[in-house]
Amino acid sequence: MPPKVASTKGAIKVRTGDDENAVETLDGHEEYIPGLENKQLLKPENQLKLTETELKEEITQVLTANNPHAPHNIVRWNFKESQYKPIANIDQIVIHFSMDSNLIHCESEEAKIQMRMQGDEDDTSDRLGSTAGASVRSAARSHSSARVRGDDTKSSASEIDIEEDDAPEEEEEKSGSKVDVEVKGRDATPVPSHEQATTQKRAPKEKKLTNQFNFSERGAQTYNYPVRDRSTITEPPPRANFSGMVTQWEIYDSYQEDFGRQQAEKQKEQKKTITVKKEVEVKKKKANLAGELIGDSIEMIAPAVKILERMVNQNTFDDISQDFKYYEDQSDEFRDQEGSLLPLWTFTLEKVKKMAITALCWSPKYMDLFGVSHGSYDYTKQGGGGVLLLYTLKNPSYPEYILDTTSGIMSLDIHPEYPYLITMGFFDGNVGVYNIMENKEQLACMSSSNTQKHTDTVWQVKWQPEDLDGNLNFYSVSSDGVVVVWTLIKNELGFQKVIHLIMKELITEGPNGTQLITLGSGVTFDFHPMKQHLFLVGTQEGKVHFCSKYHSHAFIDTYDAHHMAIYRVAWNPYHPKIFITCSEDWTIKIWDQTTNSREPMFTFDLGSSVGDVAWAPYSSTVFAAVTGDGKVCVYDLNVNKFEPLCEQVLTSKKRTKLTHIAFNPKHPIIIASDDRGTVICLKLSPNLRKKPKEKKTQEVLKPEEKEAMRIEYEYQKLEKLLQMVRQGDEKAKRKPAAAKAATKATEAKKNE
């Protein structure tokens, strides 16, 4: 009996143990394969020999999608940064083969031709298969008959083995005869009849039309959508050619016709609007008849009502009015170096209680009238606009004039010759002029972005004498680092830059040799009392620039005055070389231009940020200041060079700050404001306003001569004080030099 052959369904594992000829299938059964007795496994000589533990060891390998041959140092030029930049995303895909496929619609002519060709190929293959099956069946019949007869002879034809696993026997339907063929050592195979073969031939199976280019790209990790082109065809716009001879008269006539047509249409529209307006006006007239009667009656009695209101206020504040005129603090006779401030009136309005007072200014002609500007120093609270109020001492309960503005008012100044003109600087960089005589609720003229303006907050404005053409003009300083002169010409403002506040220490070189200039933030400025072309500018960086109107490209001098923002700089009204500054660094400094040193003559530390400082108009040595902790300090250098004569707290709340202070040009009073919209009027005690005694010879002099002598006296008084300070500084400088000389002399003697 021949040996069993292993089935081809499962893989064969050959054992290399004792039984080398035994094989094991995937089903777990062992079968014997002849011919393996003399076969040996060949191993290369350089093969690594491993132990049993090393052979049993499992080694895992991780496959990643990264391409090991992909470069990681690719750089490309970046036009934005003007340099080479490395590429972050690296393409890890490797394409080995790429071919575009072609899909054909099954109902198209090309698909039908392809289906016919495919059907012809199937018919030919079926014919060849049927002829081969008939020859096989005839050979099988002859072979089976020879085996039944017992003929041991072998046929000359080659044996054909047909293997079919577990095939059932079939009976012939039409012939009715049965042939039992017993094949020893082989499995019996059923043979189909001739009619079955013909029926199979006539009914071929339908096969699906497969894509000839059935290739899928395995390297890509995402599905690639097919590219489709879409296009549309539109009809071209209609075209027409016009031609003709045209003269000037024809063009003129056509324009006249068109103009007449437009005028006719406008007249129709005007007629419609006129009828509507008439109806609206009639309704308004009927509704305003009563209001006009009431308004006319109020305007007629307005002057009388104002006088009556002042009389009522004088009766109400009679005690304060008496103190203002006649009261003198008797305690000053017993204290030589101390004074006091007597509170008089308090000016406030319910409308501006939550707004800070940004500027104060007395009227140079009407000594009882002063202006107050309201705004906000907080950049986040600028939506409420600003308010200008004009108060008088005759009516402290309500202001004389009220003007509302869209932006916060940060500075104001009243014209010295025309007191009805008030100039203002706003938070948004604009400036404007208000005329009281017009009695309107709007500005007479104002700058805008069209006519040029500051690009930042305007912190101070100042009227100046008329120019050569007789035009009114004023100056302004802003945080944008520019000082500008504004000229009033026919209710319009002319714009001209005077000087740029360049910070020389911050000038840097830019590309191509250019210089990058940084501008300082101007906060305050003041003009010389005698030479109007000279002025001082204080900046937010703590510097004071000495400038001239005639030199717009450079400063005459610069002082490193403070470490923080300067809030006020002011010339002394009697001495042309002395000016005072106050800053947020808690100090007040007095400077002398005659000395070469950059050190101040006097320095006062007030223990809090100094919001404002002002010289007294009646003395060259008296000045007053307000601080952030709500104090008013009055100094007199002729009496005490180190301490204030009066230090008085005005605010009851701790968070309330005093912002500005101003001396009255005639009366011995001052006004101080806070950041809650309140103005307080204070009277100076006799020790704070001492004046020189008049000699008997002065009684004969004229008022002009008396004023000139008083000015000279004030100048000499301050000059003597400064001379003492200068001599003290020189002695202090000489002492170290003398000490050094003495030590050198003693050392020389010792050496001898």
Side-chain angles (χ1 to χ4, degrees):
M1 184 173 178
K4 295 181 180 179
V5 181
S7 176
T8 59
K9 289 183 179 180
I12 299 174
K13 297 182 181 179
V14 181
R15 292 186 178 181
T16 58
D18 297 336
D19 193 0
E20 295 181 351
N21 295 334
V23 297
E24 183 181 358
T25 62
L26 292 178
D27 298 336
H29 303 287
E30 293 184 359
E31 295 185 3
Y32 179 80
I33 298 178
L36 295 179
E37 295 86 356
N38 298 326
K39 291 184 179 180
Q40 296 181 356
L41 294 176
L42 298 178
K43 297 181 181 179
E45 295 179 356
N46 57 353
Q47 184 176 355
L48 183 63
K49 296 181 180 180
L50 302 175
T51 60
E52 292 295 331
T53 56
E54 292 177 347
L55 289 172
K56 293 180 180 180
E57 182 181 358
E58 293 183 358
I59 299 174
T60 59
Q61 293 184 353
V62 181
L63 299 179
T64 61
N66 295 332
N67 185 10
H69 301 290
H72 297 275
N73 55 354
I74 298 176
V75 294
R76 289 185 181 175
W77 180 258
N78 191 335
F79 291 93
K80 183 178 180 180
E81 301 181 5
S82 299
Q83 62 179 350
Y84 285 96
K85 301 286 288 185
I87 297 175
N89 298 326
I90 299 172
D91 191 7
Q92 304 290 344
I93 298 175
V94 178
I95 299 174
H96 297 285
F97 179 77
S98 177
M99 183 175 181
D100 295 334
S101 62
N102 185 15
L103 297 177
I104 304 171
H105 198 272
C106 61
E107 296 181 359
S108 62
E109 294 294 333
E110 188 177 356
K112 292 178 181 179
I113 295 170
Q114 189 175 351
M115 291 171 66
R116 292 194 199 100
M117 294 173 63
Q118 190 71 23
D120 295 341
E121 291 177 359
D122 294 340
D123 293 342
T124 54
S125 62
D126 292 340
R127 293 193 194 101
L128 293 174
S130 61
T131 54
S135 60
V136 170
R137 285 193 296 273
S138 61
R141 289 193 189 95
S142 60
H143 180 68
S144 60
S145 60
R147 294 294 296 270
V148 171
R149 291 171 187 163
D151 189 2
D152 295 335
T153 61
K154 296 180 181 179
S155 63
S156 60
S158 61
E159 295 180 0
I160 300 173
D161 298 335
I162 301 173
E163 296 180 3
E164 291 181 6
D165 296 338
D166 301 331
E169 296 181 355
E170 297 180 356
E171 295 180 67
E172 296 181 359
E173 295 178 356
K174 294 184 179 181
S175 60
S177 61
K178 295 182 181 180
V179 179
D180 296 331
V181 181
E182 183 181 357
V183 182
K184 296 181 181 180
R186 295 179 181 270
D187 296 335
T189 57
V191 180
S193 63
H194 180 68
E195 293 181 358
Q196 291 177 353
T198 55
T199 54
Q200 291 177 0
K201 188 193 302 183
R202 292 175 182 175
K205 295 182 180 179
E206 294 182 0
K207 294 185 179 180
K208 293 183 180 180
L209 183 62
T210 58
N211 185 10
Q212 293 182 353
F213 305 97
N214 190 9
F215 173 77
S216 61
E217 187 177 348
R218 297 297 183 185
Q221 297 180 355
T222 57
Y223 178 73
N224 294 328
Y225 293 98
V227 180
R228 295 184 177 88
D229 295 333
R230 294 183 180 179
S231 59
T232 57
I233 299 175
T234 58
E235 295 182 359
R239 297 182 180 180
N241 296 326
F242 297 94
S243 61
M245 298 296 293
V246 181
T247 61
Q248 275 187 335
W249 293 107
E250 291 178 353
I251 295 173
Y252 178 77
D253 293 340
S254 62
Y255 272 110
Q256 288 296 326
E257 290 178 2
D258 185 52
F259 181 73
R261 194 182 308 109
Q262 291 179 2
Q263 292 296 325
E265 292 177 357
K266 286 183 179 179
Q267 288 178 1
K268 290 181 181 179
E269 292 179 357
Q270 286 178 358
K271 288 180 180 179
K272 293 180 181 178
T273 54
I274 288 170
T275 54
V276 174
K277 285 182 179 178
K278 286 182 178 179
E279 293 177 358
V280 174
E281 287 178 358
V282 169
K283 292 180 180 179
K284 285 184 178 179
K285 286 181 180 179
K286 291 180 180 179
N288 295 334
L289 280 175
E292 287 178 358
L293 294 173
I294 295 171
D296 292 340
S297 60
I298 291 175
E299 289 179 0
M300 291 173 63
I301 64 174
V305 171
K306 185 178 289 187
I307 294 171
L308 183 62
E309 184 183 9
R310 289 185 178 180
M311 293 174 62
V312 172
N313 283 320
Q314 286 180 2
N315 293 332
T316 304
F317 302 102
D318 182 62
D319 53 346
I320 298 177
S321 300
Q322 296 297 327
D323 292 341
F324 166 68
K325 292 180 180 180
Y326 307 111
Y327 177 78
E328 299 293 345
D329 194 354
Q330 301 296 330
S331 61
D332 281 8
E333 297 178 0
F334 306 101
R335 48 185 185 184
D336 295 334
Q337 296 186 359
E338 291 184 6
S340 62
L341 296 172
L342 177 65
L344 297 176
W345 297 282
T346 299
F347 302 87
T348 183
L349 188 65
E350 189 69 24
K351 181 180 180 180
V352 295
K353 273 192 174 181
K354 295 183 179 180
M355 301 177 69
I357 295 177
T358 56
L360 292 175
C361 184
W362 284 99
S363 174
K365 187 175 181 180
Y366 304 100
M367 300 305 171
D368 62 323
L369 186 69
F370 63 92
V372 182
S373 65
H374 293 265
S376 178
Y377 291 109
D378 191 354
Y379 292 92
T380 61
K381 298 179 180 179
Q382 297 298 328
V387 180
L388 172 65
L389 302 179
L390 294 177
Y391 285 102
T392 177
L393 301 179
K394 299 175 182 178
N395 184 10
S397 61
Y398 198 79
E400 292 290 313
Y401 297 94
I402 300 175
L403 176 66
D404 294 327
T405 59
T406 56
S407 180
I409 306 174
M410 308 307 293
S411 57
L412 84 155
D413 189 31
I414 301 175
H415 199 283
E417 296 181 6
Y418 308 101
Y420 55 85
L421 294 178
I422 302 174
T423 179
M424 292 171 284
F426 297 94
F427 184 84
D428 58 359
N430 286 313
V431 295
V433 177
Y434 178 58
N435 192 347
I436 300 176
M437 295 182 65
E438 293 180 356
N439 198 14
K440 294 181 180 179
E441 296 182 357
Q442 60 183 2
L443 298 174
C445 55
M446 186 174 180
S447 64
S448 63
S449 57
N450 297 330
T451 59
Q452 292 187 331
K453 68 179 187 67
H454 286 287
T455 58
D456 210 336
T457 305
V458 181
W459 292 111
Q460 191 172 355
V461 290
K462 197 82 173 178
W463 285 105
Q464 284 295 289
E466 297 178 358
D467 57 9
L468 298 176
D469 297 331
N471 297 320
L472 299 177
N473 63 88
F474 63 93
Y475 283 69
S476 63
V477 64
S478 172
S479 297
D480 59 2
V482 183
V483 179
V484 177
V485 57
W486 304 86
T487 307
L488 274 73
I489 304 174
K490 295 182 180 179
N491 294 332
E492 293 183 358
L493 291 176
F495 176 90
Q496 184 179 357
K497 295 181 180 179
V498 178
I499 194 169
H500 291 81
L501 306 179
I502 300 173
M503 301 179 66
K504 296 181 179 180
E505 63 274 8
L506 296 180
I507 295 177
T508 57
E509 292 186 1
N512 301 326
T514 59
Q515 288 185 346
L516 301 178
I517 299 174
T518 304
L519 298 179
S521 299
V523 179
T524 178
F525 69 124
D526 191 27
F527 287 87
H528 199 277
M530 300 176 185
K531 300 177 182 179
Q532 291 294 329
H533 66 281
L534 300 177
F535 60 94
L536 296 168
V537 181
T539 65
Q540 199 168 1
E541 292 76 23
K543 297 183 181 297
V544 176
H545 301 295
F546 185 37
C547 310
S548 174
K549 296 179 183 178
Y550 307 136
H551 301 281
S552 60
H553 300 288
F555 306 127
I556 299 175
D557 203 352
T558 300
Y559 298 87
D560 292 329
H562 295 271
H563 302 291
M564 299 180 73
I566 297 175
Y567 288 153
R568 181 69 65 188
V569 58
W571 289 99
N572 189 284
Y574 297 98
H575 200 293
K577 298 292 183 180
I578 303 299
F579 63 92
I580 191 171
T581 59
C582 69
S583 172
E584 194 179 0
D585 61 0
W586 301 3
T587 59
I588 297 174
K589 296 182 180 181
I590 298 176
W591 304 81
D592 185 8
Q593 283 189 327
T594 58
T595 60
N596 295 326
S597 64
R598 297 295 177 181
E599 298 297 327
M601 301 298 292
F602 299 95
T603 302
F604 305 95
D605 191 349
L606 276 67
S608 181
S609 63
V610 185
D612 195 5
V613 66
W615 290 104
Y618 54 83
S619 177
S620 61
T621 58
V622 177
F623 63 91
V626 291
T627 62
D629 55 357
K631 294 181 181 178
V632 176
C633 301
V634 182
Y635 289 83
D636 190 350
L637 300 177
N638 194 33
V639 178
N640 192 337
K641 297 187 291 292
F642 306 102
E643 298 293 334
L645 299 185
C646 176
E647 185 175 343
Q648 190 166 327
V649 179
L650 298 184
T651 58
S652 58
K653 297 181 180 180
K654 294 183 179 179
R655 294 183 179 180
T656 304
K657 300 179 182 179
L658 296 180
T659 56
H660 292 280
I661 191 171
F663 281 89
N664 188 280
K666 182 180 178 181
H667 303 294
I669 58 174
I670 60 174
I671 51 175
S673 62
D674 58 14
D675 58 352
R676 300 295 178 91
T678 304
V679 180
I680 303 174
C681 183
L682 305 165
K683 185 176 182 181
L684 301 168
S685 64
N687 282 351
L688 301 179
R689 48 185 174 89
K690 289 182 178 180
K691 294 183 179 180
K693 295 181 180 180
E694 294 184 359
K695 297 179 182 180
K696 293 182 179 180
T697 56
Q698 292 181 355
E699 296 178 357
V700 186
L701 299 176
K702 297 180 180 180
E704 295 83 2
E705 295 176 350
K706 288 183 180 180
E707 184 66 20
M709 291 183 65
R710 189 183 69 83
I711 292 173
E712 183 64 23
Y713 172 79
E714 293 294 337
Y715 173 79
Q716 294 297 335
K717 182 174 67 172
L718 183 58
E719 185 64 26
K720 288 180 182 179
L721 183 64
L722 295 174
Q723 194 66 26
M724 294 173 58
V725 177
R726 291 168 190 158
Q727 291 177 0
D729 293 341
E730 290 178 359
K731 289 180 181 180
K733 291 179 181 178
R734 289 174 185 172
K735 284 182 180 180
K740 288 181 181 179
T743 53
K744 287 182 180 179
T746 53
E747 289 178 358
K749 288 180 180 180
K750 288 180 181 179
N751 293 331
E752 290 177 357

